[in-house]
Amino acid sequence: EASVTQPVEGVFRVTSGQTVRDFRKEADALAAAETDIRTIAAASARAAGTDSAEIEVSSDLTTSTVEGSRMFIEARLVAVASGRPRIAA
């Protein structure tokens, strides 16, 4: 799971796992958040016993319109990994 917030105008903060990073562009922050959680989900799936996990990412983006302009509020991204367990040889 990752969140993207905008603590001040023009700064998009990504929090994923133990990592916190700031970006200047919303799109860059959202892309980094997705990359982070895909990596975390894949590692968790490997630790749980699968070598070929399917990873699905869902996102919930909250925005507002203020005086006719779109304003980013927050985004929450969640990655879910699923796969067959590896077979011991």
Side-chain angles (χ1 to χ4, degrees):
E1 180 174 320
S3 67
V4 180
T5 58
Q6 186 173 213
V8 295
E9 180 123 9
V11 175
F12 298 91
R13 182 161 293 155
V14 175
T15 305
S16 56
Q18 301 293 325
T19 305
V20 177
R21 295 179 291 163
D22 290 341
F23 294 85
R24 291 281 177 207
K25 296 181 181 175
E26 177 184 338
D28 293 344
L30 293 171
E34 181 169 342
T35 298
D36 289 353
I37 62 173
R38 281 184 179 278
T39 300
I40 292 167
S44 294
R46 277 191 304 279
T50 185
D51 289 329
S52 58
E54 298 267 336
I55 300 171
E56 292 186 35
V57 175
S58 63
S59 61
D60 183 21
L61 183 66
T62 304
T63 61
S64 181
T65 303
V66 178
E67 297 179 1
S69 295
R70 178 187 175 275
M71 180 176 210
F72 177 89
I73 305 295
E74 178 181 43
R76 182 171 173 262
L77 294 86
V78 176
V80 176
S82 61
R84 298 186 66 161
R86 71 180 85 92
I87 299 177

